[in-house]
Amino acid sequence: MKIPPTPANESHRLEALRSLDILDTPPDPDFDAIVKLAQELFEVPICLISLIDAERQWFKACIGLDVPETPRTVSFCGHAILEEQALVILDATKDERFADNPLVTGGPEIRFYAGMPIRLPSGYSIGTVCLIDRTPKAAFGERERRRLGLLADLAVSAMAIRGLRGEVDAARSLTDRLRAAIQLVPSPVALVEDDGRIGESNDAFNALCRDNPLEGGRAAELLAVAPEAWSEATTDVSGEAVVTTGTDGQRLRVVQEPGGLILVAGPEGESA
């Protein structure tokens, strides 16, 4: 048996794999659909999306095996990630690299194997979409190889979509935490975007501006602020510019922050 060689770019390859935060994650219907499609297309009992970690191959999606991973040293996919195209073994018992492999001599008794590298846009091969059968095959032609390549492309796309979902969830979580935090502040607080539009605001701020709808307009229009005071504040936000509400004369400090302008109430009882 030949142990899979270590790629020359192994440290960077592992970094690329682990940056995806996909190892040891729960089943995902997008990846499960790929192995189900592979089984339908190729009529084989075992289909995997296998990711090659430092010491193991871990299965993100799997049909036909009841284990979540196997050692990298005995993996066929560890060899496949070194290839530019699919690694195809028509009969593993006749291939000196695999004939005495425990996955051949024992369960799952691999005979046929075809694995297409999953190659990220960065160029690193992090795993494979692979097909396994317990009986040898006479051939695996160009058409089959192209189809397997398309499945590997789908796996790359599924990883990209998974990453985007994670970013959206993180942004939503940050927004929720920000909204909860500013609601705890008793003074009026609002975040104003660079273009002057109101972003998040707390109930105290909304009450201050209750006579002016907050959605869809600009801060200069929404706040009951003397126009000349607001104009001055927005043109000179270094330090602490002060604007004055037109309803009760309360002063608001305008503070420049990376995310835009923040309006906060002046000292308690302070008025224009």
Side-chain angles (χ1 to χ4, degrees):
M1 183 190 79
K2 183 178 181 181
I3 295 175
T6 301
N9 61 4
E10 179 69 355
S11 62
H12 295 296
R13 191 194 69 81
L14 288 174
E15 182 179 352
L17 169 61
R18 291 168 182 172
S19 70
L20 298 172
D21 291 326
I22 195 172
L23 293 169
D24 301 309
T25 55
D28 185 310
D30 291 343
F31 295 93
D32 291 342
I34 293 172
V35 294
K36 290 176 182 176
L37 178 59
Q39 190 176 51
E40 289 290 328
L41 285 174
F42 296 100
E43 298 181 336
V44 292
I46 301 171
C47 301
L48 309 169
I49 293 178
S50 173
L51 302 177
I52 306 300
D53 199 4
E55 304 293 338
R56 59 175 178 156
Q57 62 171 353
W58 178 77
F59 307 139
K60 176 56 184 171
C62 175
I63 291 179
L65 290 181
D66 57 3
V67 295
E69 61 184 57
T70 63
R72 181 174 176 176
T73 53
V74 299
S75 70
F76 283 54
C77 296
H79 293 270
I81 63 169
L82 299 169
E83 304 292 326
E84 289 296 320
Q85 297 298 323
L87 172 65
V88 177
I89 311 297
L90 297 177
D91 186 349
T93 65
K94 297 179 180 179
D95 191 306
E96 62 180 11
R97 295 170 293 178
F98 305 107
D100 57 348
N101 186 300
L103 301 179
V104 176
T105 59
E109 299 183 344
I110 297 174
R111 295 299 180 265
F112 167 77
Y113 170 90
M116 179 65 74
I118 296 173
R119 185 167 289 107
L120 300 178
S122 59
Y124 296 112
S125 294
I126 60 169
T128 71
V129 175
C130 70
L131 317 171
I132 294 173
D133 205 336
R134 297 183 177 90
T135 59
K137 290 191 179 294
F140 192 77
E142 287 303 316
R143 183 181 184 187
E144 287 81 5
R145 292 170 189 261
R146 285 196 301 272
R147 287 179 172 178
L148 189 56
L150 291 174
L151 293 177
D153 291 341
L154 286 177
V156 173
S157 297
M159 289 177 187
I161 291 170
R162 181 181 178 277
L164 290 173
R165 285 174 179 161
E167 291 178 8
V168 169
D169 290 343
R172 183 180 297 118
S173 176
L174 178 61
T175 299
D176 290 343
R177 292 198 302 272
L178 174 63
R179 184 177 295 117
I182 66 175
Q183 288 296 351
L184 295 175
V185 180
S187 299
V189 176
L191 304 185
V192 182
E193 307 296 341
D194 289 336
D195 65 356
R197 292 183 181 275
I198 295 289
E200 296 296 331
S201 59
N202 65 0
D203 289 342
F205 183 88
N206 295 339
L208 182 67
C209 305
R210 59 181 172 269
D211 296 329
N212 300 272
L214 288 179
E215 294 184 2
R218 294 183 177 277
E221 301 165 353
L222 299 173
L223 294 175
V225 172
E228 64 276 10
W230 177 250
S231 175
E232 177 184 355
T234 55
T235 56
D236 183 15
V237 294
S238 59
E240 289 188 354
V242 176
V243 296
T244 306
T245 67
T247 53
D248 60 5
Q250 183 174 9
R251 301 178 71 187
L252 301 178
R253 289 183 293 114
V254 181
V255 182
Q256 181 72 51
E257 294 290 345
L261 305 177
I262 299 180
L263 304 184
V264 295
E268 187 172 349
E270 183 180 20
S271 62

